[in-house]
Structure formats: C-alpha cells, structure tokens
Amino acid sequence: MTSIDPSFYLKNKQPHTSGSNILEKDDFLKILMTQIQNQNPLDPMKDQEFVSQMTQFSSLEQMTNMSTAFQSFTEQQNMSSLITYSHLIGKEVTYSSKDQGGLKTDVVAAVNQKEDGTYVELQSGSLVSVQDLTKVSQESGSGKQET
C-alpha cells in the first residue's frame, strides 16, 4: 500500500496568512488529490462523484477569478472618478455646507480620491465630497458662465 505524503497531515498544515478559516482552492485540490491517492482499489471513486468534485473545483476557481475581476473593475472605476472630476480644477463650485448650513462657494484647487469617495479640495483648504456639489460655474470675460 502506498504511503500518504506527510505534507497532507494536519499538523504540517501551514496556517492561512489571512487569518480566515475558509478553505481556498488549493486546499480543495489537496483534499481531492488525497482522496484519489487513498481510495480503495477494489471500490474506486465512482465517475459521478469524481466529475461532481471536479465541477465544484472548477466553479470555485471561476468564482475566485470573478472576484479578482470585480476588484480590478472597482479599482478602475475609482480612478475613472478622479479623471472624471479633474475638469473641475480652477472652476467655481457651490456646495452644501453641513457644518455651517446653507450653500457656500469656492474655487476648486485639486481633486482627491479617498477610500470612501472622490473629493474636491478648495482654495480655502476644505475638502468637499463631489456628492455635495450643487453648481459648477466658470468665470469668463463677460461674467460667470455655468457649466
């Protein structure tokens, strides 16, 4: 009878660095390989069971790939927001001020991307969420021109 590879023993199992108790696709593959190596030759794993496990593994890998793709998409969307709002630099904006109540007006000096959203940095030094902007205007030679 063949021996079991010692790397499959639980005591030799390296802990996950993420601190999670969730099985990863590599863990699933190791379990599947252990089952195949240690099956009874007189009663091998039925084809349906093997196909079912391989299908589960394939599904797991596809979900992992989709998760990675969604994360990449989200990161790209955040950068798109920064580029989208960069045209506001140098323009006058009106925004609702939660601290002082009412509307305030100032000129945009920069656009910042943070974890919780996109903000405009005003010449006064204030950071205002783009969600709070109510008006954008640009001064022209003959007065203000709204955009």
Side-chain angles (χ1 to χ4, degrees), residues 78-90 108-114 117-122 127-128 130 133:
N78 286 341
M79 285 306 282
S80 294
S81 294
L82 185 65
I83 294 167
T84 299
Y85 292 108
S86 66
H87 77 281
L88 295 176
I89 297 173
V108 176
V111 179
N112 295 327
Q113 181 69 45
K114 294 191 173 194
T118 306
Y119 293 82
V120 291
E121 183 179 331
L122 305 175
L127 277 180
V128 177
V130 294
L133 299 180

Side-chain angles (χ1 to χ4, degrees), residues 121-132:
E121 183 179 331
L122 305 175
Q123 286 183 344
S124 65
S126 301
L127 277 180
V128 177
S129 171
V130 294
Q131 304 295 324
D132 294 333

